[in-house]
Amino acid sequence: DIQMTQSPSSLSASVGDRVTITCRASQSISSYLNWYQQKPGKAPKLLIYAASSLQSGVPSTFSGSGSGTDFTLTISSLQPEDFATYYCQQSYSTPITFGQGTRLEIK
Amino acid sequence: QLQLQESGSGLVKPSQTLSLTCAVSGGSISSDAYSWNWIRQPPGKGLEWIGYIYHSGNTYYNPSLKSRVTISIDRSKNQFSLNLSSVTAADTAVYYCARGEGPWGQGTLVTVSS
């Protein structure tokens, strides 16, 4: 199985801050990397697919980069509605695996 | 707009079989362009992929669950289903269905308890 490791596990930030979350795969996954946002009691919502493609309807303050084993999700200017848990997911090979999540909290 | 909705029993006894259905609306399940997935999330924990099925009927399961999982597709009803046998308390989770990377259903909580 491909292991996905996110860092940090939790993060405190303020509205307007620039935030970066990283995700590392245990082996190369090319660009088969997706990012999700999950709010309490809700299903995960796709933000970024194929490492850097912005899902329709997602604000342009979100961006993704990387390939191979190292990936980043950047929020350029945090909005109140961005405080949530973020997960990376590899779809390069089965079993599909997720990172453990990064909880983004208000400072 | 494609929507997915999970349904099924919210309470299952240990050793019995968990059965859930995902109804797809706003689009056809009969497209091999997408996989139709089941994912679960134990309370307060992370996401675990269970498996997926294609329109063709080809299935891929997580090896950690493979001996207990069956995913099937009903093209006439535009839905797909999950059966998980011999459940224990460790199978208590919110179960989601999803098309490929998205969208996902809202999820349904399944509790395993006597």
Side-chain angles (χ1 to χ4, degrees):
Chain A
D1 299 7
I2 297 175
Q3 307 302 316
M4 305 301 292
T5 304
Q6 288 182 234
S7 61
S9 295
S10 64
L11 175 60
S12 294
S14 301
V15 173
D17 283 354
R18 180 183 180 91
V19 167
T20 297
I21 298 169
T22 65
C23 180
R24 175 164 288 176
S26 60
Q27 64 185 74
S28 177
I29 58 170
S30 185
S31 295
Y32 290 87
L33 190 284
N34 307 308
W35 288 100
Y36 294 87
Q37 176 194 67
Q38 187 179 33
K39 297 182 179 180
K42 299 295 187 182
K45 171 189 171 184
L46 180 66
L47 299 175
I48 302 286
Y49 63 95
S52 60
S53 296
L54 190 68
Q55 174 69 0
S56 176
V58 174
S60 59
T61 51
F62 290 90
S63 64
S65 65
S67 66
T69 60
D70 294 315
F71 302 87
T72 60
L73 173 70
T74 299
I75 310 173
S76 61
S77 178
L78 273 174
Q79 300 303 302
E81 59 269 25
D82 298 337
F83 292 93
T85 299
Y86 293 84
Y87 292 93
C88 62
Q89 177 211 50
Q90 67 83 17
S91 56
Y92 178 77
S93 68
T94 56
I96 291 171
T97 48
F98 294 87
Q100 81 278 15
T102 295
R103 185 173 179 179
L104 178 53
E105 300 175 318
I106 300 174
K107 183 182 287 184
Chain B
Q1 180 180 352
L2 191 78
Q3 293 186 313
L4 294 86
Q5 178 68 58
E6 305 89 350
S7 63
S9 176
L11 180 63
V12 182
K13 288 180 166 47
S15 80
Q16 294 191 342
T17 296
L18 177 161
S19 295
L20 296 174
T21 295
C22 181
V24 179
S25 60
S28 174
I29 203 170
S30 297
S31 168
D32 247 359
Y34 297 105
S35 59
W36 302 93
N37 294 258
W38 287 100
I39 304 105
R40 70 180 183 178
Q41 185 172 38
K45 296 188 178 181
L47 298 161
E48 180 181 32
W49 176 75
I50 299 170
Y52 61 56
I53 189 166
Y54 281 96
H55 157 69
S56 60
N58 289 338
T59 53
Y60 299 84
Y61 301 139
N62 193 323
S64 67
L65 298 168
K66 187 174 182 177
S67 63
R68 300 193 291 131
V69 172
T70 302
I71 297 175
S72 59
I73 193 166
D74 187 336
R75 299 168 196 82
S76 67
K77 293 183 178 179
N78 218 39
Q79 64 185 33
F80 61 108
S81 298
L82 168 70
N83 279 355
L84 181 66
S85 63
S86 305
V87 297
T88 70
D91 295 311
T92 293
V94 175
Y95 285 76
Y96 297 100
C97 59
R99 182 194 74 173
E101 290 77 29
W104 293 39
Q106 66 183 25
T108 187
L109 174 63
V110 178
T111 301
V112 178
S113 174
S114 56

